[in-house]
Amino acid sequence: MLAEFDLIRRYFTLPTHDVHQQGVALGIGDDAALLNPQPGRQLVVSVDTSVVDVHFPGGAPAEAIGHRALAVALSDLAAMGATSRWCVMALTLDQSQFADDNAADAWLSGYARGFATLAGRHATTLVGGDVTSGLLSIAVTVMGDVPNATALTRSGARPGDVIAVTGALGGGAGGLALWQQGERNSAHPLLERYLRPTPRLAAGEALREWATAAIDISDGLLADLGHLREASGVGVRLSLEALPLAEGLEQALGLEAARQAALTGGDDYELLVTLPPAHVEKARQQLAVSGVPLHVIGECSDIPGVHGLPVQRYHGWQHFKGETP
């Protein structure tokens, strides 16, 4: 395998003229990057770590791993209504997974291609990072911006607001279930949603004008809705029948398990938002421009808790399970 700095130069360094066009005064190759934020906008920063066989299967295509590592980080910017601009990446490589230099080159080329393709799609410039040896893991820090005082947060929902989600739910959990059953056809819609999630950046920017609160769905609808409820101090009533199920989910799992996947499965990376009822149609029309549907699934109330479901307590994904105060 190439030495650290040769590896960075070969797979992750952009031409200088491309970097300077993206607001980067100094990019990869020095001790730190120098960036040029735009006046009148606030910087939005988030970090996400992906660990092999925890967040993605080690046998997944390298290109999908690269795509996914960036996509899940960009999803946090989408939830804030931010425009993505830059990222840094810390890549820990397990050298024992490569039989020889050709195997290492094939994996790194695929990984870099998946990462760079998604970055290019969202005008996101890789400006630095680190490469080291150990258990395969990827930490991606993303940076974006929003006009001053316009960022979406989790704390703005109010009683009377409706609750809505972009796209469809349960696809991430459904795709993981298929992978665990041995499905490897990456063209399968559920497997595609699991391995190559779509960060809803354009939708987040559009919803900034209409939504009162937002969060991305990474740990499951109910778990992430719980964070929004707590931050906003509201209760919610949901409609089980209104949940938009991912294509092929009911056929793969059956209706009851499909709804469970939509509620608690995680890895969907759709946006969960609240907004006044009068803004729903305007928001739908704006999202339709980018081909993203918006589905109303419930409403906020001043009655604490989650109502409207047959079972009142659900758990989404948590890395550390302890006592909940």
Short mmCIF file of all heavy atoms in Angstrom, two decimals, residues 233-305:
data_model
loop_
_atom_site.label_atom_id
_atom_site.label_comp_id
_atom_site.label_asym_id
_atom_site.label_seq_id
_atom_site.Cartn_x
_atom_site.Cartn_y
_atom_site.Cartn_z
N GLY A 233 -40.63 20.95 23.32
CA GLY A 233 -41.60 20.90 24.41
C GLY A 233 -43.02 20.66 23.94
O GLY A 233 -43.96 21.27 24.46
N VAL A 234 -43.19 19.76 22.96
CA VAL A 234 -44.52 19.45 22.45
C VAL A 234 -44.78 17.95 22.52
O VAL A 234 -43.86 17.15 22.63
CB VAL A 234 -44.69 19.91 20.98
CG1 VAL A 234 -44.58 21.42 20.88
CG2 VAL A 234 -43.68 19.22 20.06
N GLY A 235 -46.08 17.59 22.48
CA GLY A 235 -46.48 16.22 22.27
C GLY A 235 -46.85 16.04 20.81
O GLY A 235 -46.94 17.03 20.06
N VAL A 236 -47.08 14.80 20.39
CA VAL A 236 -47.42 14.55 18.99
C VAL A 236 -48.49 13.48 18.89
O VAL A 236 -48.61 12.60 19.74
CB VAL A 236 -46.18 14.11 18.17
CG1 VAL A 236 -45.11 15.18 18.19
CG2 VAL A 236 -45.63 12.79 18.66
N ARG A 237 -49.26 13.57 17.83
CA ARG A 237 -50.19 12.51 17.43
C ARG A 237 -49.83 12.11 16.01
O ARG A 237 -49.79 12.95 15.12
CB ARG A 237 -51.64 12.98 17.50
CG ARG A 237 -52.65 11.95 16.99
CD ARG A 237 -54.08 12.33 17.33
NE ARG A 237 -54.32 12.25 18.76
CZ ARG A 237 -54.64 11.12 19.40
NH1 ARG A 237 -54.74 9.98 18.72
NH2 ARG A 237 -54.84 11.12 20.69
N LEU A 238 -49.56 10.81 15.82
CA LEU A 238 -49.17 10.29 14.52
C LEU A 238 -50.27 9.42 13.92
O LEU A 238 -51.08 8.84 14.65
CB LEU A 238 -47.89 9.46 14.64
CG LEU A 238 -46.62 10.18 15.10
CD1 LEU A 238 -45.47 9.20 15.21
CD2 LEU A 238 -46.28 11.33 14.18
N SER A 239 -50.27 9.34 12.61
CA SER A 239 -51.19 8.46 11.88
C SER A 239 -50.39 7.32 11.27
O SER A 239 -49.56 7.55 10.38
CB SER A 239 -51.92 9.24 10.78
OG SER A 239 -52.61 8.35 9.93
N LEU A 240 -50.60 6.11 11.76
CA LEU A 240 -49.87 4.95 11.25
C LEU A 240 -50.13 4.76 9.76
O LEU A 240 -49.23 4.43 8.99
CB LEU A 240 -50.30 3.70 12.03
CG LEU A 240 -49.43 2.45 11.91
CD1 LEU A 240 -48.04 2.73 12.45
CD2 LEU A 240 -50.08 1.29 12.65
N GLU A 241 -51.36 4.99 9.34
CA GLU A 241 -51.74 4.79 7.93
C GLU A 241 -51.10 5.83 7.01
O GLU A 241 -50.98 5.59 5.80
CB GLU A 241 -53.27 4.86 7.78
CG GLU A 241 -54.02 3.72 8.45
CD GLU A 241 -54.07 3.84 9.97
OE1 GLU A 241 -53.87 4.98 10.48
OE2 GLU A 241 -54.29 2.82 10.64
N ALA A 242 -50.68 6.96 7.56
CA ALA A 242 -50.11 8.02 6.73
C ALA A 242 -48.61 7.84 6.48
O ALA A 242 -48.04 8.58 5.67
CB ALA A 242 -50.35 9.39 7.38
N LEU A 243 -47.98 6.87 7.12
CA LEU A 243 -46.54 6.69 6.94
C LEU A 243 -46.24 6.31 5.50
O LEU A 243 -46.77 5.31 4.99
CB LEU A 243 -46.01 5.59 7.86
CG LEU A 243 -46.07 5.85 9.37
CD1 LEU A 243 -45.59 4.62 10.11
CD2 LEU A 243 -45.23 7.07 9.74
N PRO A 244 -45.37 7.04 4.81
CA PRO A 244 -45.01 6.69 3.44
C PRO A 244 -43.93 5.59 3.45
O PRO A 244 -42.82 5.81 3.92
CB PRO A 244 -44.45 8.00 2.86
CG PRO A 244 -43.89 8.69 4.06
CD PRO A 244 -44.73 8.31 5.24
N LEU A 245 -44.27 4.41 2.96
CA LEU A 245 -43.36 3.28 3.00
C LEU A 245 -42.50 3.23 1.75
O LEU A 245 -42.98 3.49 0.64
CB LEU A 245 -44.14 1.97 3.16
CG LEU A 245 -45.04 1.87 4.40
CD1 LEU A 245 -45.75 0.53 4.42
CD2 LEU A 245 -44.23 2.07 5.68
N ALA A 246 -41.23 2.90 1.91
CA ALA A 246 -40.31 2.83 0.79
C ALA A 246 -40.76 1.78 -0.22
O ALA A 246 -41.40 0.79 0.12
CB ALA A 246 -38.91 2.49 1.29
N GLU A 247 -40.40 2.02 -1.47
CA GLU A 247 -40.75 1.10 -2.56
C GLU A 247 -40.24 -0.31 -2.26
O GLU A 247 -39.08 -0.52 -1.95
CB GLU A 247 -40.13 1.59 -3.86
CG GLU A 247 -40.40 0.70 -5.06
CD GLU A 247 -39.63 1.13 -6.30
OE1 GLU A 247 -38.96 2.18 -6.24
OE2 GLU A 247 -39.69 0.40 -7.30
N GLY A 248 -41.14 -1.28 -2.34
CA GLY A 248 -40.78 -2.67 -2.15
C GLY A 248 -40.71 -3.12 -0.71
O GLY A 248 -40.49 -4.30 -0.43
N LEU A 249 -40.92 -2.20 0.26
CA LEU A 249 -40.77 -2.55 1.67
C LEU A 249 -41.87 -3.50 2.15
O LEU A 249 -41.58 -4.50 2.81
CB LEU A 249 -40.76 -1.28 2.52
CG LEU A 249 -40.44 -1.47 4.00
CD1 LEU A 249 -39.03 -1.99 4.19
CD2 LEU A 249 -40.63 -0.16 4.78
N GLU A 250 -43.11 -3.18 1.83
CA GLU A 250 -44.20 -4.04 2.27
C GLU A 250 -44.10 -5.42 1.63
O GLU A 250 -44.34 -6.45 2.28
CB GLU A 250 -45.55 -3.41 1.93
CG GLU A 250 -46.74 -4.20 2.45
CD GLU A 250 -48.07 -3.53 2.19
OE1 GLU A 250 -48.08 -2.33 1.82
OE2 GLU A 250 -49.11 -4.20 2.34
N GLN A 251 -43.71 -5.48 0.36
CA GLN A 251 -43.57 -6.77 -0.32
C GLN A 251 -42.45 -7.59 0.31
O GLN A 251 -42.55 -8.82 0.41
CB GLN A 251 -43.27 -6.56 -1.81
CG GLN A 251 -44.43 -5.96 -2.60
CD GLN A 251 -44.44 -4.43 -2.56
OE1 GLN A 251 -43.89 -3.83 -1.63
NE2 GLN A 251 -45.07 -3.82 -3.55
N ALA A 252 -41.39 -6.92 0.77
CA ALA A 252 -40.25 -7.65 1.34
C ALA A 252 -40.49 -8.10 2.77
O ALA A 252 -40.07 -9.20 3.17
CB ALA A 252 -39.01 -6.76 1.30
N LEU A 253 -41.20 -7.28 3.57
CA LEU A 253 -41.31 -7.56 4.99
C LEU A 253 -42.72 -7.86 5.47
O LEU A 253 -42.88 -8.41 6.58
CB LEU A 253 -40.78 -6.35 5.80
CG LEU A 253 -39.35 -5.88 5.52
CD1 LEU A 253 -39.00 -4.72 6.44
CD2 LEU A 253 -38.37 -7.02 5.69
N GLY A 254 -43.74 -7.52 4.68
CA GLY A 254 -45.11 -7.57 5.17
C GLY A 254 -45.48 -6.25 5.80
O GLY A 254 -44.61 -5.48 6.24
N LEU A 255 -46.79 -5.94 5.85
CA LEU A 255 -47.23 -4.61 6.26
C LEU A 255 -46.82 -4.27 7.69
O LEU A 255 -46.29 -3.18 7.94
CB LEU A 255 -48.75 -4.49 6.12
CG LEU A 255 -49.35 -3.13 6.53
CD1 LEU A 255 -48.74 -2.01 5.70
CD2 LEU A 255 -50.87 -3.15 6.37
N GLU A 256 -47.03 -5.16 8.64
CA GLU A 256 -46.73 -4.84 10.04
C GLU A 256 -45.23 -4.58 10.24
O GLU A 256 -44.84 -3.59 10.86
CB GLU A 256 -47.19 -5.97 10.95
CG GLU A 256 -46.98 -5.66 12.43
CD GLU A 256 -47.52 -6.74 13.35
OE1 GLU A 256 -48.22 -7.65 12.86
OE2 GLU A 256 -47.25 -6.67 14.57
N ALA A 257 -44.39 -5.45 9.69
CA ALA A 257 -42.95 -5.26 9.83
C ALA A 257 -42.47 -4.04 9.04
O ALA A 257 -41.52 -3.36 9.45
CB ALA A 257 -42.20 -6.51 9.35
N ALA A 258 -43.12 -3.74 7.92
CA ALA A 258 -42.75 -2.56 7.15
C ALA A 258 -43.03 -1.29 7.95
O ALA A 258 -42.22 -0.36 7.97
CB ALA A 258 -43.52 -2.54 5.83
N ARG A 259 -44.17 -1.25 8.62
CA ARG A 259 -44.48 -0.09 9.44
C ARG A 259 -43.53 0.02 10.62
O ARG A 259 -43.11 1.12 11.01
CB ARG A 259 -45.93 -0.17 9.93
CG ARG A 259 -46.94 0.17 8.84
CD ARG A 259 -48.36 -0.01 9.33
NE ARG A 259 -49.33 0.52 8.36
CZ ARG A 259 -50.65 0.33 8.43
NH1 ARG A 259 -51.16 -0.40 9.44
NH2 ARG A 259 -51.45 0.86 7.54
N GLN A 260 -43.16 -1.12 11.21
CA GLN A 260 -42.18 -1.10 12.29
C GLN A 260 -40.85 -0.56 11.80
O GLN A 260 -40.18 0.23 12.48
CB GLN A 260 -42.01 -2.50 12.87
CG GLN A 260 -41.09 -2.59 14.07
CD GLN A 260 -41.72 -2.02 15.33
OE1 GLN A 260 -42.92 -1.74 15.37
NE2 GLN A 260 -40.91 -1.84 16.37
N ALA A 261 -40.43 -0.97 10.59
CA ALA A 261 -39.18 -0.47 10.01
C ALA A 261 -39.25 1.03 9.78
O ALA A 261 -38.28 1.77 10.01
CB ALA A 261 -38.89 -1.19 8.70
N ALA A 262 -40.41 1.52 9.33
CA ALA A 262 -40.58 2.95 9.09
C ALA A 262 -40.52 3.75 10.38
O ALA A 262 -40.02 4.88 10.42
CB ALA A 262 -41.90 3.20 8.37
N LEU A 263 -41.03 3.16 11.47
CA LEU A 263 -41.07 3.87 12.75
C LEU A 263 -39.75 3.83 13.49
O LEU A 263 -39.35 4.81 14.13
CB LEU A 263 -42.16 3.26 13.64
CG LEU A 263 -43.62 3.55 13.25
CD1 LEU A 263 -44.56 2.66 14.05
CD2 LEU A 263 -43.96 5.02 13.48
N THR A 264 -39.04 2.72 13.42
CA THR A 264 -37.89 2.53 14.32
C THR A 264 -36.62 2.09 13.62
O THR A 264 -35.57 1.98 14.26
CB THR A 264 -38.22 1.48 15.40
OG1 THR A 264 -38.42 0.20 14.78
CG2 THR A 264 -39.47 1.86 16.16
N GLY A 265 -36.66 1.82 12.29
CA GLY A 265 -35.54 1.17 11.64
C GLY A 265 -34.29 2.00 11.48
O GLY A 265 -33.18 1.50 11.58
N GLY A 266 -34.42 3.30 11.24
CA GLY A 266 -33.25 4.14 11.06
C GLY A 266 -32.64 4.03 9.67
O GLY A 266 -33.13 3.29 8.81
N ASP A 267 -31.56 4.80 9.44
CA ASP A 267 -30.81 4.81 8.19
C ASP A 267 -31.63 5.29 6.99
O ASP A 267 -31.31 4.95 5.86
CB ASP A 267 -30.24 3.42 7.87
CG ASP A 267 -28.93 3.16 8.59
OD1 ASP A 267 -28.20 4.14 8.86
OD2 ASP A 267 -28.63 2.00 8.89
N ASP A 268 -32.66 6.10 7.23
CA ASP A 268 -33.45 6.62 6.11
C ASP A 268 -32.89 7.94 5.58
O ASP A 268 -32.96 8.23 4.39
CB ASP A 268 -34.90 6.82 6.53
CG ASP A 268 -35.69 5.52 6.52
OD1 ASP A 268 -35.45 4.69 5.62
OD2 ASP A 268 -36.53 5.33 7.41
N TYR A 269 -32.41 8.80 6.46
CA TYR A 269 -31.82 10.09 6.10
C TYR A 269 -32.80 10.97 5.31
O TYR A 269 -32.39 11.77 4.48
CB TYR A 269 -30.48 9.91 5.38
CG TYR A 269 -29.54 9.14 6.27
CD1 TYR A 269 -29.31 7.78 6.08
CD2 TYR A 269 -28.94 9.78 7.36
CE1 TYR A 269 -28.50 7.07 6.95
CE2 TYR A 269 -28.13 9.07 8.23
CZ TYR A 269 -27.91 7.72 8.02
OH TYR A 269 -27.11 7.01 8.89
N GLU A 270 -34.08 10.79 5.61
CA GLU A 270 -35.10 11.74 5.17
C GLU A 270 -35.17 12.87 6.20
O GLU A 270 -34.57 12.78 7.28
CB GLU A 270 -36.46 11.06 5.03
CG GLU A 270 -36.51 9.97 3.98
CD GLU A 270 -36.39 10.49 2.55
OE1 GLU A 270 -36.43 11.73 2.35
OE2 GLU A 270 -36.25 9.66 1.63
N LEU A 271 -35.90 13.92 5.88
CA LEU A 271 -36.09 15.03 6.81
C LEU A 271 -37.45 14.93 7.48
O LEU A 271 -38.46 14.66 6.83
CB LEU A 271 -35.97 16.36 6.09
CG LEU A 271 -34.63 16.65 5.42
CD1 LEU A 271 -34.63 18.05 4.81
CD2 LEU A 271 -33.46 16.49 6.40
N LEU A 272 -37.45 15.12 8.78
CA LEU A 272 -38.67 15.20 9.58
C LEU A 272 -38.83 16.66 9.96
O LEU A 272 -37.93 17.24 10.58
CB LEU A 272 -38.53 14.32 10.81
CG LEU A 272 -39.57 14.48 11.92
CD1 LEU A 272 -40.94 14.01 11.44
CD2 LEU A 272 -39.15 13.69 13.16
N VAL A 273 -39.96 17.26 9.59
CA VAL A 273 -40.14 18.69 9.83
C VAL A 273 -41.51 18.96 10.43
O VAL A 273 -42.44 18.15 10.32
CB VAL A 273 -40.01 19.51 8.52
CG1 VAL A 273 -38.63 19.35 7.92
CG2 VAL A 273 -41.08 19.13 7.51
N THR A 274 -41.62 20.08 11.10
CA THR A 274 -42.92 20.60 11.53
C THR A 274 -43.15 21.93 10.83
O THR A 274 -42.20 22.66 10.55
CB THR A 274 -42.97 20.81 13.05
OG1 THR A 274 -41.94 21.75 13.44
CG2 THR A 274 -42.72 19.49 13.78
N LEU A 275 -44.40 22.22 10.52
CA LEU A 275 -44.73 23.48 9.86
C LEU A 275 -46.20 23.81 10.07
O LEU A 275 -47.02 22.90 10.29
CB LEU A 275 -44.39 23.44 8.37
CG LEU A 275 -45.01 22.43 7.43
CD1 LEU A 275 -44.71 22.81 5.98
CD2 LEU A 275 -44.51 21.00 7.66
N PRO A 276 -46.55 25.08 10.03
CA PRO A 276 -47.96 25.45 10.16
C PRO A 276 -48.78 24.84 9.03
O PRO A 276 -48.29 24.75 7.89
CB PRO A 276 -47.93 26.98 10.06
CG PRO A 276 -46.53 27.36 10.43
CD PRO A 276 -45.67 26.26 9.93
N PRO A 277 -50.02 24.43 9.27
CA PRO A 277 -50.84 23.82 8.22
C PRO A 277 -50.95 24.69 6.96
O PRO A 277 -50.98 24.17 5.85
CB PRO A 277 -52.20 23.65 8.90
CG PRO A 277 -51.90 23.55 10.35
CD PRO A 277 -50.71 24.44 10.58
N ALA A 278 -50.97 26.00 7.14
CA ALA A 278 -51.12 26.90 5.99
C ALA A 278 -49.91 26.88 5.06
O ALA A 278 -50.00 27.32 3.91
CB ALA A 278 -51.36 28.33 6.48
N HIS A 279 -48.78 26.34 5.52
CA HIS A 279 -47.57 26.33 4.71
C HIS A 279 -47.33 25.02 3.99
O HIS A 279 -46.38 24.91 3.20
CB HIS A 279 -46.35 26.64 5.59
CG HIS A 279 -46.30 28.04 6.10
ND1 HIS A 279 -45.35 28.46 7.01
CD2 HIS A 279 -47.07 29.12 5.82
CE1 HIS A 279 -45.54 29.74 7.27
NE2 HIS A 279 -46.59 30.17 6.56
N VAL A 280 -48.17 24.02 4.25
CA VAL A 280 -47.90 22.69 3.71
C VAL A 280 -47.89 22.68 2.18
O VAL A 280 -46.96 22.17 1.55
CB VAL A 280 -48.93 21.67 4.24
CG1 VAL A 280 -48.77 20.32 3.52
CG2 VAL A 280 -48.75 21.48 5.74
N GLU A 281 -48.91 23.24 1.56
CA GLU A 281 -48.99 23.19 0.10
C GLU A 281 -47.87 23.99 -0.55
O GLU A 281 -47.31 23.58 -1.58
CB GLU A 281 -50.36 23.67 -0.38
CG GLU A 281 -51.46 22.65 -0.15
CD GLU A 281 -51.11 21.28 -0.71
OE1 GLU A 281 -50.64 21.19 -1.87
OE2 GLU A 281 -51.29 20.28 0.01
N LYS A 282 -47.51 25.11 0.04
CA LYS A 282 -46.41 25.91 -0.51
C LYS A 282 -45.10 25.13 -0.42
O LYS A 282 -44.29 25.13 -1.35
CB LYS A 282 -46.29 27.23 0.25
CG LYS A 282 -47.50 28.15 0.07
CD LYS A 282 -47.37 29.38 0.95
CE LYS A 282 -48.59 30.27 0.84
NZ LYS A 282 -48.52 31.44 1.75
N ALA A 283 -44.90 24.46 0.70
CA ALA A 283 -43.68 23.66 0.86
C ALA A 283 -43.67 22.51 -0.14
O ALA A 283 -42.65 22.21 -0.75
CB ALA A 283 -43.59 23.14 2.29
N ARG A 284 -44.81 21.86 -0.31
CA ARG A 284 -44.90 20.74 -1.27
C ARG A 284 -44.56 21.20 -2.68
O ARG A 284 -43.83 20.52 -3.42
CB ARG A 284 -46.30 20.14 -1.24
CG ARG A 284 -46.52 19.14 -0.12
CD ARG A 284 -47.92 18.61 -0.14
NE ARG A 284 -48.09 17.52 0.81
CZ ARG A 284 -49.24 17.20 1.37
NH1 ARG A 284 -50.35 17.88 1.06
NH2 ARG A 284 -49.31 16.19 2.22
N GLN A 285 -45.08 22.34 -3.06
CA GLN A 285 -44.82 22.85 -4.41
C GLN A 285 -43.35 23.15 -4.61
O GLN A 285 -42.78 22.86 -5.67
CB GLN A 285 -45.65 24.12 -4.65
CG GLN A 285 -47.15 23.85 -4.75
CD GLN A 285 -47.97 25.12 -4.73
OE1 GLN A 285 -47.43 26.22 -4.88
NE2 GLN A 285 -49.27 25.00 -4.54
N GLN A 286 -42.69 23.68 -3.57
CA GLN A 286 -41.28 24.01 -3.71
C GLN A 286 -40.42 22.75 -3.77
O GLN A 286 -39.46 22.67 -4.54
CB GLN A 286 -40.83 24.90 -2.55
CG GLN A 286 -39.54 25.63 -2.84
CD GLN A 286 -39.48 26.98 -2.14
OE1 GLN A 286 -40.46 27.46 -1.61
NE2 GLN A 286 -38.31 27.59 -2.15
N LEU A 287 -40.78 21.73 -2.98
CA LEU A 287 -40.03 20.48 -3.00
C LEU A 287 -40.25 19.72 -4.30
O LEU A 287 -39.36 18.99 -4.76
CB LEU A 287 -40.43 19.59 -1.83
CG LEU A 287 -40.04 20.06 -0.42
CD1 LEU A 287 -40.32 18.97 0.60
CD2 LEU A 287 -38.58 20.45 -0.35
N ALA A 288 -41.42 19.89 -4.89
CA ALA A 288 -41.72 19.17 -6.13
C ALA A 288 -40.76 19.54 -7.25
O ALA A 288 -40.52 18.75 -8.16
CB ALA A 288 -43.15 19.46 -6.56
N VAL A 289 -40.18 20.74 -7.17
CA VAL A 289 -39.22 21.17 -8.19
C VAL A 289 -38.03 20.22 -8.26
O VAL A 289 -37.50 19.92 -9.34
CB VAL A 289 -38.74 22.61 -7.91
CG1 VAL A 289 -37.64 23.02 -8.87
CG2 VAL A 289 -39.91 23.58 -7.98
N SER A 290 -37.62 19.70 -7.10
CA SER A 290 -36.50 18.75 -7.06
C SER A 290 -36.98 17.31 -6.98
O SER A 290 -36.18 16.40 -6.74
CB SER A 290 -35.57 19.07 -5.89
OG SER A 290 -36.28 19.10 -4.66
N GLY A 291 -38.28 17.08 -7.18
CA GLY A 291 -38.81 15.72 -7.23
C GLY A 291 -38.92 15.03 -5.89
O GLY A 291 -38.95 13.80 -5.82
N VAL A 292 -39.00 15.79 -4.81
CA VAL A 292 -39.08 15.21 -3.47
C VAL A 292 -40.48 15.41 -2.90
O VAL A 292 -40.92 16.56 -2.73
CB VAL A 292 -38.04 15.85 -2.52
CG1 VAL A 292 -38.15 15.25 -1.12
CG2 VAL A 292 -36.63 15.65 -3.08
N PRO A 293 -41.21 14.34 -2.59
CA PRO A 293 -42.54 14.50 -2.00
C PRO A 293 -42.47 14.85 -0.52
O PRO A 293 -41.47 14.57 0.15
CB PRO A 293 -43.19 13.13 -2.21
CG PRO A 293 -42.03 12.18 -2.23
CD PRO A 293 -40.88 12.94 -2.85
N LEU A 294 -43.53 15.45 -0.01
CA LEU A 294 -43.65 15.78 1.41
C LEU A 294 -44.96 15.18 1.91
O LEU A 294 -46.03 15.47 1.39
CB LEU A 294 -43.64 17.30 1.60
CG LEU A 294 -43.65 17.79 3.06
CD1 LEU A 294 -42.32 17.49 3.73
CD2 LEU A 294 -43.94 19.30 3.12
N HIS A 295 -44.86 14.34 2.94
CA HIS A 295 -46.03 13.62 3.46
C HIS A 295 -46.33 14.07 4.88
O HIS A 295 -45.46 14.00 5.75
CB HIS A 295 -45.78 12.11 3.46
CG HIS A 295 -45.43 11.55 2.12
ND1 HIS A 295 -46.37 11.20 1.18
CD2 HIS A 295 -44.22 11.28 1.56
CE1 HIS A 295 -45.77 10.73 0.11
NE2 HIS A 295 -44.47 10.77 0.30
N VAL A 296 -47.57 14.49 5.13
CA VAL A 296 -48.01 14.82 6.49
C VAL A 296 -48.35 13.53 7.22
O VAL A 296 -49.13 12.72 6.73
CB VAL A 296 -49.22 15.76 6.46
CG1 VAL A 296 -49.78 15.96 7.87
CG2 VAL A 296 -48.84 17.11 5.85
N ILE A 297 -47.74 13.32 8.40
CA ILE A 297 -47.96 12.07 9.14
C ILE A 297 -48.54 12.31 10.53
O ILE A 297 -48.77 11.34 11.27
CB ILE A 297 -46.65 11.27 9.26
CG1 ILE A 297 -45.60 12.07 10.04
CG2 ILE A 297 -46.12 10.88 7.88
CD1 ILE A 297 -44.37 11.25 10.43
N GLY A 298 -48.76 13.55 10.90
CA GLY A 298 -49.31 13.81 12.23
C GLY A 298 -49.33 15.28 12.54
O GLY A 298 -49.20 16.13 11.66
N GLU A 299 -49.51 15.58 13.84
CA GLU A 299 -49.56 16.97 14.27
C GLU A 299 -48.99 17.10 15.68
O GLU A 299 -48.96 16.14 16.46
CB GLU A 299 -50.99 17.49 14.24
CG GLU A 299 -51.94 16.76 15.17
CD GLU A 299 -53.37 17.25 15.05
OE1 GLU A 299 -53.61 18.18 14.26
OE2 GLU A 299 -54.24 16.71 15.76
N CYS A 300 -48.53 18.29 16.00
CA CYS A 300 -48.02 18.59 17.33
C CYS A 300 -49.16 19.05 18.23
O CYS A 300 -50.13 19.66 17.77
CB CYS A 300 -46.97 19.70 17.27
SG CYS A 300 -45.52 19.30 16.28
N SER A 301 -49.03 18.76 19.51
CA SER A 301 -50.06 19.16 20.46
C SER A 301 -49.39 19.59 21.76
O SER A 301 -48.16 19.50 21.91
CB SER A 301 -51.03 18.02 20.73
OG SER A 301 -50.41 17.03 21.55
N ASP A 302 -50.20 20.06 22.71
CA ASP A 302 -49.66 20.42 24.02
C ASP A 302 -49.83 19.28 25.02
O ASP A 302 -49.62 19.47 26.23
CB ASP A 302 -50.32 21.70 24.54
CG ASP A 302 -51.84 21.63 24.55
OD1 ASP A 302 -52.39 20.53 24.31
OD2 ASP A 302 -52.47 22.66 24.79
N ILE A 303 -50.23 18.10 24.54
CA ILE A 303 -50.36 16.92 25.40
C ILE A 303 -49.07 16.11 25.30
O ILE A 303 -48.73 15.64 24.21
CB ILE A 303 -51.56 16.05 24.98
CG1 ILE A 303 -52.84 16.88 25.00
CG2 ILE A 303 -51.69 14.83 25.89
CD1 ILE A 303 -54.04 16.16 24.43
N PRO A 304 -48.31 15.94 26.37
CA PRO A 304 -47.01 15.26 26.28
C PRO A 304 -47.14 13.84 25.74
O PRO A 304 -48.17 13.18 25.88
CB PRO A 304 -46.52 15.25 27.74
CG PRO A 304 -47.27 16.35 28.40
CD PRO A 304 -48.62 16.39 27.73
N GLY A 305 -46.07 13.37 25.11
CA GLY A 305 -46.00 11.99 24.65
C GLY A 305 -46.33 11.82 23.19
O GLY A 305 -46.55 12.79 22.45
#
